[in-house]
Amino acid sequence: MIKNMFDSGSYKTGAGFKKNKRRLRFWMIVGGFFLLLALSIGIFYFILNSAWLKVKSIDAPDLPGVSRESILDSIKIQMMANRFQAWLGPENILFWELRKDPNFTQGLPALKNLRVKTDFWDRSVSISADERQLWSVVCDGMDSNCFGLDENGLVFSRAPSVFGSLILKINDPNNRAFILGQKLFSQSEWFSNFKQTIEILNRNGFRVISIKMGNFSLREWTARVIQGPEFYFSLNFIPENFDSVLKNLGGKLDFRKTAYVDFRVPNRIYYKPI
């Protein structure tokens, strides 16, 4: 009987110890959680309010037609689309240090080669960019809306209508919308064929002064040259062996007495005498 009572007391003592141990573990977990929470709040407060993380200087260029303020505003708007960066704000060096480089074609298509450099320890930001160079001007059928194109076919600025041979002019009467920051043609291959064909014509003495887009659903276009016939092409391809073909045609045709030469059909050449 005495033995049974002793065993029962030992059991109660062991159960109480385990209960206290579980309670201690619980409060340690709760305490650790609040400690971690307090530490996180402290870190967030430091990141947001510490003078040590404030940007000291931002260097950005003033380019013709594009002010420093416009460049900065365009970059900030794009980078603020990221919630974390928006939370930091552009006054914080981490806003720039943790950036994903923005795309200028969205806000300032007249610029290219955006470069943003940060010096974390000096808390400085340096921004640089290049201007797009005018390759040609494209105008609608009424010649009322004209836009500048760069060498890759990107529509990057509004432009006046041009005349003469100094700047290549493209007339497009197809009622297509020209949108700043987007390509003239939806397929990069079309512009590549278009540009290379023009370069081959120029290289062989046929100075292209203007282009007229034909029925765009058929991908047709016409090159007008100085003192020569009109040349008809397709955006879908460059005429095969075009360099050699032009040289051979020069010995067979009197271009001064030819109205047009048609290359719109693969491996076929058609022409019309005047």
Side-chain angles (χ1 to χ4, degrees), residues 214-240:
N215 187 334
F216 197 74
S217 63
L218 299 177
R219 313 289 181 250
E220 296 176 343
W221 61 282
T222 300
R224 292 171 177 165
V225 302
I226 296 177
Q227 296 181 344
E230 293 185 341
F231 291 87
Y232 299 159
F233 299 101
S234 169
L235 293 176
N236 293 320
F237 63 93
I238 302 171
E240 189 173 355

Side-chain angles (χ1 to χ4, degrees), residues 3-273:
K3 184 178 180 181
N4 290 338
M5 290 177 62
F6 179 79
D7 290 344
S8 176
S10 299
Y11 173 78
K12 290 180 180 179
T13 302
F17 177 76
K18 290 181 179 179
K19 183 177 181 180
N20 290 336
K21 190 175 181 181
R22 286 198 299 270
R23 184 178 299 169
L24 178 62
R25 185 183 298 119
F26 170 76
W27 285 113
M28 287 179 64
I29 292 173
V30 171
F33 171 77
F34 280 104
L35 181 63
L36 182 61
L37 180 62
L39 182 62
S40 299
I41 292 173
I43 292 173
F44 292 154
Y45 181 85
F46 174 79
I47 290 174
L48 289 177
N49 299 283
S50 173
W52 192 81
L53 291 176
K54 297 298 181 183
V55 174
K56 284 185 176 180
S57 64
I58 300 179
D59 181 32
D62 259 318
L63 299 172
V66 185
S67 68
R68 175 182 184 275
E69 289 71 24
S70 296
I71 294 173
L72 285 174
D73 288 344
S74 177
I75 293 175
K76 289 176 184 178
I77 288 171
Q78 291 186 52
M79 292 172 66
M80 291 283 277
N82 182 291
R83 289 185 179 180
F84 180 67
Q85 286 179 293
W87 177 68
L88 290 171
E91 297 80 16
N92 194 306
I93 190 64
L94 293 178
F95 175 89
W96 302 94
E97 187 72 22
L98 303 177
R99 74 190 181 278
K100 177 181 179 182
D101 285 342
N103 182 359
F104 262 154
T105 59
Q106 297 178 10
L108 295 172
L111 303 180
K112 64 178 182 178
N113 298 333
L114 169 66
R115 297 174 293 274
V116 179
K117 296 182 179 179
T118 58
D119 187 326
F120 182 79
W121 301 109
D122 193 43
R123 286 165 288 164
S124 62
V125 180
S126 176
I127 300 168
S128 60
D130 300 325
E131 292 182 90
R132 293 190 186 275
Q133 299 301 309
L134 184 67
W135 181 76
S136 68
V137 170
V138 60
C139 298
D140 61 16
M142 301 297 293
D143 215 30
S144 56
N145 289 305
C146 298
F147 297 85
L149 299 178
D150 75 351
E151 70 279 4
N152 297 312
L154 184 80
V155 180
F156 70 88
S157 67
R158 286 192 168 272
S161 181
V162 295
F163 302 92
S165 59
L166 293 179
I167 299 175
L168 178 64
K169 182 177 181 180
I170 303 170
N171 292 102
D172 190 340
N174 287 279
N175 295 320
R176 298 193 306 127
F178 305 121
I179 301 174
L180 294 175
Q182 294 191 11
K183 296 291 187 72
L184 177 63
F185 304 136
S186 60
Q187 301 292 326
S188 58
E189 182 182 1
W190 294 345
F191 187 79
S192 177
N193 293 338
F194 178 74
K195 184 181 178 184
Q196 288 185 59
T197 300
I198 293 171
E199 290 173 349
I200 294 172
L201 284 169
N202 288 334
R203 190 162 62 238
N204 283 276
F206 298 98
R207 171 70 171 156
V208 180
I209 56 173
S210 68
I211 302 292
K212 183 175 181 180
M213 301 305 300
N215 187 334
F216 197 74
S217 63
L218 299 177
R219 313 289 181 250
E220 296 176 343
W221 61 282
T222 300
R224 292 171 177 165
V225 302
I226 296 177
Q227 296 181 344
E230 293 185 341
F231 291 87
Y232 299 159
F233 299 101
S234 169
L235 293 176
N236 293 320
F237 63 93
I238 302 171
E240 189 173 355
N241 300 318
F242 192 35
D243 259 313
S244 300
V245 168
L246 286 176
K247 291 180 175 64
N248 291 334
L249 281 178
K252 297 178 180 179
L253 295 179
D254 186 346
F255 287 120
R256 293 171 299 177
K257 298 180 180 180
T258 304
Y260 67 79
V261 182
D262 189 343
F263 292 93
R264 289 174 294 182
V265 180
N267 301 316
R268 293 288 187 273
I269 302 173
Y270 302 94
Y271 67 93
K272 179 182 178 181

